[in-house]
Amino acid sequence: MAFQVSNIMLFILMFLLPLSATAQPYRNVTLGSALIANNANSTWLSPSGEFAFGFQQIIPGGYLLAIWFNKIPETTIVWSANRDNLVQEGSRVQLFADGRFELSDPRGQRIWAATLSRVGVTYGAMLDTGNFVLANRNSVVLWQSFDEPTDTLLPTQTLNRGVKLVSSFSKTNYSKGRFIFILQNDGNLVSYTRNFPMDNVIFAYWSTQTVGTGFQVIFNQSGYIFLVAQNGSLLNYVSPNAASSSQFYQRAILEYDGVLRHYVYPKSANSSGGIAMAWSSMDFIPSNICMSIRQSSGGGACGFNSFCSIGIDQMPNCDCPVGYSVVDPNDRMSGCKPNFAAQNCDKEARETDHFSFNDMPNTDWPDSDYTYFQQVREDWCRQVCLDDCFCAVAIFRDGNCWKKKYPLSNGRVDSGVGGKALIKIRNTNVTANFSVSKKSNRSTLIIIGSVLLGSSTFLNLLLLSSLLLYAFYFNKLKPNRHQPYQVLPGLNIRRFGFKELQEATNGFKEELGRGSCSTVYKGIVKNDNIEKVVAVKKLHKMATEGEQEFKAEVSSISRTNHKNLVQLLGYCDEGQNQLLVYEFMSNGSLSNFLFQSSRPNWYKRLQIAFATARGLCYLHEECNNQIIHCDIKPQNILLDESFTAKISDFGIAKLLKPDQSRTTTGIRGTKGYVAPEWFRNLPVTSKVDVYSFGILFLELICCRRNYEPDVEVETEMILADFAYDCYKEGTMHLLVANDEEALNDKQFDKFVMIAIWCIQEDPALRPTMKRVMQLMEGSVEVPIPPDPASFITSI
Ligand SMILES: *[C@@H]1O[C@H](CO)[C@@H](O)[C@H](O)[C@H]1NC(C)=O
Ligand SMILES: *[C@@H]1O[C@H](CO)[C@@H](O)[C@H](O)[C@H]1NC(C)=O
Ligand SMILES: *[C@@H]1O[C@H](CO)[C@@H](O)[C@H](O)[C@H]1NC(C)=O
Ligand SMILES: *[C@@H]1O[C@H](CO)[C@@H](O)[C@H](O)[C@H]1NC(C)=O
Ligand SMILES: *[C@@H]1O[C@H](CO)[C@@H](O)[C@H](O)[C@H]1NC(C)=O
Ligand SMILES: *[C@@H]1O[C@H](CO)[C@@H](O)[C@H](O)[C@H]1NC(C)=O
Ligand SMILES: *[C@@H]1O[C@H](CO)[C@@H](O)[C@H](O)[C@H]1NC(C)=O
Ligand SMILES: *[C@@H]1O[C@H](CO)[C@@H](O)[C@H](O)[C@H]1NC(C)=O
Ligand SMILES: *[C@@H]1O[C@H](CO)[C@@H](O)[C@H](O)[C@H]1NC(C)=O
Ligand SMILES: CC(=O)N[C@H]1CO[C@H](CO)[C@@H](O)[C@@H]1O
């Protein structure tokens, strides 16, 4: 059948050729023809020029003999001969006079050869289907690339029994990777994890269950991909969504992440209107690879200690837990390694105080557990993991507690998982390089202290603080500017000289932002010859309490460690110059992101709300000293290069003079982010942040500012009032007009209700951030919120 199709194509091709002969460089590949791998163009084109056969340079000096889409800017390879064995410049592919078709390296060593069904090849041709054929004088095809697919199927191509697709190793490395898609000889069509680097398979994560009946996978001209039985009857669709082949380029590819995707690309790729063309996915299988792969051997979809989550673009992401980093930065699926030294197992030095947990809801590493407890409480589960040096992660779900050990495998984050992962990380970097000998002595001291004072955490903390204080004085007596890596002992934070920061910021040249109390500049600092981009915050209005206060606050900030907080890297404190050095957040502030002309995606907005809530929850509940932010607003939520939201400027409220503008907010009646108790004679507690978060959450939900003087309807000006009115009248859809994603989200109502709870004027009615997290994550039912303004103060 495949032969027939090809013959028809050849026939059509020959028929059409005279018409386009003058316009196209196309001609048959005659016996004796060869292509040489070098930097110049050397390709054989199809009649339309849409496909090319030839050499693609993959790495400097490394060539792949391949077929690719030739009319689109993005290199899209659909077939290759030597994916595991790139050839050097000067290698050649030749159609010999006797009909052999071979790839050989510059020394003449054969690297690859077409396996012909019989002798008698008289010519070769790159067809407009993307199929390269070798045929005899009667145009009977004796070899074709369609019969030996690599990772891609094209329209008119079929996948026969016993033939498989093997994914690439990565986006840019075409060698054989970690997944296989095969129509087995038994008729079943299956996706497997591959036992890399071997060719055998480990785990089937998708199949049609057509043992005995599946005969052929067809990608037909209309763009449907389906499995048929021998009698031609349809058994299963692989991609039931078709796109016209006359208007779209199409391909189905088993990608490096294990997902088989059907992609289309508009042929009329005209860049008018500045819209960049790209491949877009019509269909893919399996629907959720993160949840589909659960293998007893191997790391799962993402590698060991890593976790897999489906992004808003439906692509699986592989990420490392906080405190871990990817083993090979060029390979997201290489797994993650902890950035901290393992816990000491000695009974006397178990370092329980040095570890804490980072909570990740809806996260699990199934199958990595070595101990399991039932009917326990969460704090018990935490403690039992903390006390056990073998425990890397504890999973707590519905009163069950699993202790997990390295390497963790099959990690996934999904709303279907439930419960939470408690990821154990070392608090401060005691093993940091900076002051190795000092550090080891200090930890010895602490251990001795712990033993002497019993196991009271409080006393240990006291001891630690006095040591820190001692260290501050010590540093002060020795303002050693020539020692660039001076740090607060025990904390992974560096003390900078003012001059150094002046140089780092090129004389405070590039301003990133400015507030009433500080200005932020971009800078580059060097550490061990590694350049790092940083944000340097210069404080204008310093607290009058003096240096000790500054240092105490800096040390309190620096002891925070959470993925949703902007990390403090260092500080400078020289006379009038007080500066803080933070990690640089390349994607700017939420304010820019949220209020741009095009509305960001609903799920991205939700992610930011979750991230902000998590960061606040940590500041309120999990720090040694509770930190109240006091200034939560979109300008203070920053986005890193992967758009993870992080809270900035926390802990500096105490460093700055009270902001006078608080008491005289602009337009009367405008509700800003500032909780009402600031204006009333009420104590300021962490609930002020809950209020600000509520306003921010509404802005994220509705994608508008809390105050919009320009809206037509007056009742819509103040978002907080508008939101409650809509809630009360059951017209919440008005809040997100035209935002289909939000409207289709079953949780939409719930999120609005949570935000309304947060903006209650009575601080006592507002939930804590922890409670807010629980409500958002869905572990607790959201009660009916009262009218936020029902609180009457008795002033
Ligand atoms: C290609 O070769 C076949 C068989 O020899 C011949 O029929 C056909 O005309 C050739 N096409 C071109 C464009 O030379
Ligand atoms: C290669 O081909 C492209 C387009 O087909 C052309 O623009 C370019 O000049 C060619 N380069 C060489 C070295 O021939
Ligand atoms: C591609 O990945 C494989 C497997 O890790 C590796 O052996 C090979 O060197 C890589 N090739 C390139 C060109 O990076
Ligand atoms: C492709 O397959 C679909 C679904 O089976 C069918 O409706 C359509 O007619 C087929 N197109 C061609 C050109 O065979
Ligand atoms: C075709 O084969 C399938 C599976 O073997 C069978 O279920 C179906 O009845 C057959 N249809 C016809 C028309 O023979
Ligand atoms: C570009 O695309 C638009 C919309 O598809 C179409 O109307 C227009 O004719 C195209 N222009 C060119 C030059 O192909
Ligand atoms: C701990 O220090 C090491 C080396 O100094 C560093 O690579 C690592 O990122 C630090 N870990 C944390 C959690 O700060
Ligand atoms: C830590 O110290 C070791 C040896 O003392 C050195 O090789 C390594 O580069 C240092 N790492 C950092 C992050 O300073
Ligand atoms: C976000 O940051 C990344 C990395 O710096 C950058 O490539 C990307 O263009 C940024 N996106 C936006 C919208 O600024
Ligand atoms: C100052 C001091 O006591 N330094 C000691 C710290 O500990 C190391 C070994 O752990 C000793 O070699 C140092 O003399």
Side-chain angles (χ1 to χ4, degrees):
M1 178 161 170
F3 280 19
Q4 281 165 11
V5 171
S6 302
N7 284 343
I8 292 166
M9 285 315 298
L10 260 183
F11 176 77
I12 295 171
L13 191 135
M14 288 184 284
F15 189 75
L16 287 176
L17 246 153
L19 298 174
S20 52
T22 47
Q24 298 294 342
Y26 169 77
R27 58 193 165 79
N28 276 350
V29 176
T30 53
L31 295 179
S33 309
L35 291 175
I36 313 286
N38 57 29
N39 292 321
N41 291 341
S42 53
T43 54
W44 291 322
L45 296 184
S46 73
S48 65
E50 285 178 355
F51 285 97
F53 180 97
F55 288 100
Q56 278 278 347
Q57 190 169 358
I58 303 299
I59 52 169
Y63 291 83
L64 191 63
L65 180 61
I67 297 171
W68 62 91
F69 283 95
N70 196 44
K71 281 199 171 170
I72 61 179
E74 198 179 331
T75 305
T76 309
I77 290 174
V78 299
W79 178 87
S80 65
N82 57 321
R83 59 194 306 196
D84 279 328
N85 197 0
L86 296 183
V87 291
Q88 293 170 340
E89 185 165 330
S91 299
R92 67 160 54 210
V93 61
Q94 184 159 9
L95 181 58
F96 288 95
D98 60 4
R100 280 179 298 131
F101 189 57
E102 291 181 2
L103 167 67
S104 50
D105 70 10
R107 287 170 307 168
Q109 197 86 36
R110 193 169 77 181
I111 303 294
W112 172 87
T115 317
L116 302 168
S117 52
R118 57 190 146 109
V119 293
V121 171
T122 55
Y123 72 102
M126 180 71 249
L127 307 187
D128 272 343
T129 51
N131 192 11
F132 187 84
V133 298
L134 299 173
N136 68 12
R137 68 180 76 259
N138 300 321
S139 293
V140 174
V141 171
L142 303 182
W143 180 88
Q144 56 182 339
S145 59
F146 269 14
D147 284 343
E148 293 177 12
T150 48
D151 59 0
T152 303
L153 292 177
L154 294 170
T156 73
Q157 188 169 3
T158 58
L159 187 72
N160 297 318
R161 279 188 174 181
V163 181
K164 64 181 177 232
L165 306 181
V166 181
S167 68
S168 284
F169 187 76
S170 73
K171 242 181 193 147
T172 50
N173 180 335
Y174 295 92
S175 69
K176 280 196 232 153
R178 301 163 167 114
F179 303 94
I180 285 175
F181 179 78
I182 181 170
L183 178 56
Q184 296 181 155
N185 284 319
D186 65 7
N188 204 5
L189 182 62
V190 193
S191 294
Y192 283 107
T193 55
R194 176 170 173 251
N195 195 9
F196 183 85
M198 310 299 273
D199 253 332
N200 59 318
V201 298
I202 309 179
F203 180 83
Y205 57 94
W206 181 87
S207 84
T208 51
Q209 295 174 351
T210 47
V211 173
T213 55
F215 178 69
Q216 198 171 45
V217 177
I218 296 177
F219 192 162
N220 80 8
Q221 189 68 27
S222 318
Y224 292 89
I225 310 173
F226 48 91
L227 177 69
V228 294
Q230 190 148 17
N231 61 18
S233 70
L234 179 97
L235 294 174
N236 271 86
Y237 276 113
V238 174
S239 174
N241 288 330
S244 151
S245 285
S246 60
Q247 285 167 32
F248 292 94
Y249 295 117
Q250 310 199 38
R251 67 193 166 112
I253 173 174
L254 178 66
E255 290 198 281
Y256 68 96
D257 57 10
V259 181
L260 183 92
R261 294 190 180 86
H262 176 191
Y263 280 109
V264 299
Y265 189 106
K267 280 189 179 176
S268 62
N270 64 30
S271 48
S272 64
I275 300 162
M277 293 293 170
W279 287 103
S280 52
S281 161
M282 302 256 299
D283 263 310
F284 56 92
I285 52 168
S287 57
N288 183 338
I289 194 165
C290 298
M291 296 298 278
S292 305
I293 297 183
R294 183 172 170 171
Q295 56 193 30
S296 53
S297 143
C302 278
F304 292 109
N305 299 341
S306 182
F307 61 83
C308 180
S309 61
I310 299 293
I312 39 180
D313 52 2
Q314 304 281 0
M315 307 278 270
N317 295 320
C318 295
D319 291 299
C320 294
V322 171
Y324 287 64
S325 56
V326 63
V327 171
D328 175 1
N330 297 319
D331 178 12
R332 291 302 300 171
M333 291 154 83
S334 59
C336 305
K337 59 179 196 294
N339 295 335
F340 48 85
Q343 189 173 5
N344 195 331
C345 284
D346 289 349
K347 207 169 178 208
E348 274 70 42
R350 200 164 283 156
E351 307 182 299
T352 312
D353 292 345
H354 293 254
F355 286 84
S356 59
F357 292 102
N358 183 49
D359 295 11
M360 283 188 63
N362 286 316
T363 306
D364 197 3
W365 282 271
D367 302 336
S368 305
D369 46 299
Y370 63 96
T371 314
Y372 169 45
F373 305 99
Q374 282 165 294
Q375 294 179 347
V376 296
R377 287 205 327 270
E378 185 182 328
D379 51 356
W380 190 90
C381 184
R382 284 173 186 271
Q383 196 60 43
V384 78
C385 178
L386 207 54
D387 288 342
D388 180 352
C389 67
F390 297 116
C391 182
V393 165
I395 303 291
F396 182 77
R397 187 164 61 230
D398 305 329
N400 300 302
C401 175
W402 292 263
K403 288 202 278 186
K404 307 267 174 180
K405 65 180 189 313
Y406 290 133
L408 304 160
S409 57
N410 299 298
R412 72 271 314 271
V413 179
D414 189 276
S415 56
V417 169
K420 60 166 99 170
L422 309 166
I423 297 153
K424 190 155 87 177
I425 51 175
R426 193 179 275 274
N427 296 337
T428 53
N429 214 333
V430 192
T431 52
N433 266 8
F434 304 104
S435 48
V436 177
S437 61
K438 239 203 262 172
K439 166 225 84 191
S440 60
N441 294 2
R442 199 170 38 82
S443 39
T444 323
L445 247 178
I446 291 173
I447 293 156
I448 296 167
S450 312
V451 173
L452 285 179
L453 297 170
S455 57
S456 158
T457 320
F458 174 70
L459 286 178
N460 286 346
L461 277 176
L462 258 183
L463 183 66
L464 184 65
S465 350
S466 46
L467 277 165
L468 282 174
L469 258 163
Y470 165 75
F472 291 143
Y473 280 115
F474 186 71
N475 279 351
K476 207 179 154 193
L477 293 174
K478 252 177 57 183
N480 194 343
R481 262 167 231 165
H482 302 291
Q483 200 186 338
Y485 303 126
Q486 202 177 2
V487 292
L488 298 181
L491 308 171
N492 205 5
I493 131 167
R494 178 173 153 194
R495 180 177 186 168
F496 290 88
F498 182 68
K499 252 198 151 141
E500 198 183 346
L501 290 182
Q502 208 164 18
E503 278 163 26
T505 55
N506 203 357
F508 299 104
K509 205 165 166 199
E510 191 177 338
E511 197 175 305
L512 294 172
R514 181 183 281 266
S516 57
C517 310
S518 62
T519 311
V520 185
Y521 304 90
K522 190 169 175 178
I524 295 175
V525 298
K526 258 194 184 171
N527 200 349
D528 286 347
N529 282 327
I530 299 167
E531 290 194 335
K532 191 175 171 76
V533 185
V534 295
V536 178
K537 180 182 281 280
K538 212 171 165 187
L539 306 180
H540 306 317
K541 298 188 193 163
M542 290 153 314
T544 43
E545 282 80 359
E547 275 173 80
Q548 279 323 308
E549 178 91 355
F550 181 75
K551 284 188 175 141
E553 290 311 320
V554 167
S555 106
S556 138
I557 296 170
S558 69
R559 260 173 288 159
T560 58
N561 176 7
H562 191 273
K563 69 169 172 185
N564 299 119
L565 300 179
V566 177
Q567 205 193 342
L568 183 71
L569 302 173
Y571 69 102
C572 164
D573 184 24
E574 287 181 10
Q576 279 300 297
N577 297 314
Q578 293 186 334
L579 299 97
L580 298 171
V581 180
Y582 289 99
E583 61 177 321
F584 177 71
M585 305 292 284
S586 60
N587 277 311
S589 81
L590 174 59
S591 166
N592 292 337
F593 178 70
L594 191 57
F595 306 127
Q596 61 193 357
S597 49
S598 68
R599 176 167 55 202
N601 172 301
W602 165 250
Y603 294 99
K604 190 75 235 171
R605 276 141 58 204
L606 276 187
Q607 270 178 11
I608 293 172
F610 272 92
T612 309
R614 256 181 233 124
L616 272 178
C617 193
Y618 174 88
L619 289 176
H620 291 177
E621 314 255 346
E622 285 160 54
C623 297
N624 289 343
N625 303 314
Q626 186 187 55
I627 295 179
I628 305 176
H629 190 293
C630 295
D631 201 13
I632 288 292
K633 57 184 178 187
Q635 290 80 357
N636 280 337
I637 311 297
L638 304 182
L639 302 168
D640 73 2
E641 71 280 353
S642 56
F643 282 101
T644 301
K646 302 191 181 208
I647 301 174
S648 79
D649 269 6
F650 55 90
I652 71 164
K654 286 192 194 162
L655 290 182
L656 303 166
K657 278 186 195 159
D659 187 346
Q660 301 306 321
S661 65
R662 279 206 200 292
T663 49
T664 54
T665 37
I667 311 130
R668 223 179 140 65
T670 303
K671 289 178 184 156
Y673 304 94
V674 180
E677 53 266 37
W678 285 106
F679 314 114
R680 295 175 184 162
N681 203 8
L682 289 171
V684 167
T685 66
S686 60
K687 294 289 183 71
V688 299
D689 286 348
V690 178
Y691 183 91
S692 308
F693 173 76
I695 299 289
L696 183 91
F697 196 10
L698 284 178
E699 290 184 324
L700 279 164
I701 291 172
C702 307
C703 223
R704 57 157 276 191
R705 290 177 203 275
N706 68 68
Y707 180 67
E708 294 259 10
D710 298 333
V711 292
E712 283 164 20
V713 190
E714 203 181 319
T715 52
E716 293 183 8
M717 263 187 215
I718 298 166
L719 181 57
D721 295 347
F722 178 37
Y724 184 71
D725 292 346
C726 288
Y727 170 70
K728 206 171 53 188
E729 280 150 32
T731 53
M732 281 199 274
H733 59 276
L734 295 178
L735 292 170
V736 287
N738 307 327
D739 190 343
E740 290 301 323
E741 277 173 330
L743 289 169
N744 289 336
D745 188 339
K746 286 200 284 292
Q747 303 202 76
F748 168 71
D749 291 5
K750 183 183 91 177
F751 291 133
V752 176
M753 287 162 75
I754 295 168
I756 294 174
W757 271 109
C758 292
I759 58 169
Q760 292 296 314
E761 301 215 346
D762 182 356
L765 280 182
R766 285 174 224 150
T768 60
M769 279 318 294
K770 190 171 184 177
R771 182 82 181 159
V772 171
M773 270 318 305
Q774 290 168 341
L775 293 172
M776 287 174 75
E777 281 163 6
S779 51
V780 192
E781 194 72 8
V782 183
I784 306 284
D787 183 348
S790 57
F791 178 53
I792 318 263
T793 40
S794 48
I795 324 173

